[in-house]
Amino acid sequence: MIGLGVSAGVASLLPAGVAAQASSADPQVFDRLLARHVRAGRDGIKRVDYRAWRASPADRAALAAYVEALQGASPAARSPADQIAYWSNLYNAETLRVVLEAYPVKSILAIRPTLVSFGPWKAKTLRVDSRRLSLHEVEHEILRPMGDPMIHYALNCASISCPNLPPRAWRGATLAADLDQAARTYVNHPRAAQVTAKGLILSSIYKWYAEDFGADDAAVLNHLNRYAAPPLRAVLGRRPAIAGYAYDWNLNGVA
């Protein structure tokens, strides 16, 4: 678990000037880490250079310090957009920290804190406002109850089929526009909606969280149509059947 005593330990590992910045929840700390270690693949998927990040004690320490700083920066009095940005950054940064701690792994599913675990999501590795939290609770008990399906484009579970890890930290001031772009990028990629002779093969996200998108197939297709580029929009206009769902849990690492 990340405890309150982490900052002293990691500060000595940081380059001059970085320790002071990493001791706060400054989103620019996360921006710089993402810029160094996230690559845009030719397939349109943002991939993380986990090997290089794991090999950098300073960058691993900076990430741990950023996660710790976020935990100490209460989101309670913030606007709804700032709260979504806060919790999404915490989720994404902690997911990266957990994967880096276990790396090399082929999938986040291989990270099992207990023998009956299905991935690391239910381990209570976080503490915010004196409440111990797991990644599962951040997603399902804090973010999803806010009632905005766009949060599914904000979170990255370190897997190929997830919406892309953003190139910079989320910010409340630009959240709506940034999530709109994230949705358009994902919806128009085959891992979200693949056109086949039998119908559409959709990301399992639209099955697992169907109620967030309107509960039935028609609502899901309406959601996709809202963000679809002309080629996909033309297909959706014919109201195709949903032939199935798919999800690739392989790690979103640099090949």
Side-chain angles (χ1 to χ4, degrees), residues 161 186 191-192 202-210 244-247:
S161 284
Y186 188 67
R191 69 194 193 281
L202 299 183
S203 165
S204 295
I205 287 173
Y206 300 114
K207 179 181 180 180
W208 297 329
Y209 308 117
Y245 299 88
Y247 205 82

Side-chain angles (χ1 to χ4, degrees), residues 10-228:
V10 300
S12 62
L13 297 175
L14 299 176
V18 174
Q21 291 175 309
S23 66
S24 73
D26 183 353
Q28 293 185 32
V29 173
F30 201 25
D31 290 348
R32 284 190 289 272
L33 291 170
L34 293 171
R36 278 201 288 274
H37 297 294
V38 178
R39 311 276 185 268
R42 293 182 179 179
D43 56 4
I45 300 174
K46 294 289 181 67
R47 297 176 183 269
V48 181
D49 192 342
Y50 291 105
R51 186 182 304 278
W53 203 333
R54 168 86 181 192
S56 171
D59 284 355
R60 288 183 64 196
L63 179 65
Y66 174 70
V67 170
E68 184 191 3
L70 282 178
Q71 292 175 86
S74 174
R78 305 184 190 199
S79 70
D82 283 335
Q83 288 191 42
I84 291 174
Y86 168 89
W87 288 111
S88 299
N89 286 332
L90 181 59
Y91 183 100
N92 290 343
E94 175 65 357
T95 297
L96 286 166
R97 189 198 66 80
V98 168
V99 172
L100 286 167
E101 187 174 80
Y103 191 80
V105 289
K106 292 184 178 180
S107 169
I108 192 171
L109 297 181
I111 303 173
R112 303 174 61 191
T114 69
L115 291 177
V116 296
S117 296
F118 179 76
W121 293 286
K122 291 191 176 181
K124 292 181 181 287
T125 59
L126 299 167
R127 185 185 295 273
V128 178
D129 290 337
S130 300
R131 177 186 175 188
R132 292 185 65 204
L133 290 166
S134 65
L135 290 167
H136 177 91
E137 289 167 323
V138 170
E139 180 178 7
H140 297 282
E141 297 182 18
I142 296 173
L143 281 167
R144 289 184 65 204
M146 291 182 183
D148 188 347
M150 298 298 281
I151 67 103
H152 295 294
Y153 302 110
L155 304 181
N156 182 270
C157 65
S159 302
I160 291 294
S161 284
C162 266
N164 282 336
L165 185 66
R168 62 198 294 267
W170 298 109
R171 289 161 168 81
T174 60
L175 186 68
D178 290 342
L179 285 179
D180 184 271
Q181 183 57 54
R184 293 181 190 281
T185 298
Y186 188 67
V187 166
N188 293 289
H189 192 278
R191 69 194 193 281
Q194 186 175 359
V195 180
T196 74
K198 295 182 178 180
L200 292 174
I201 304 296
L202 299 183
S203 165
S204 295
I205 287 173
Y206 300 114
K207 179 181 180 180
W208 297 329
Y209 308 117
E211 62 186 285
D212 297 356
F213 296 99
D216 59 19
D217 288 357
V220 169
L221 293 177
N222 286 337
H223 172 83
L224 295 175
N225 189 65
R226 192 172 303 129
Y227 301 100

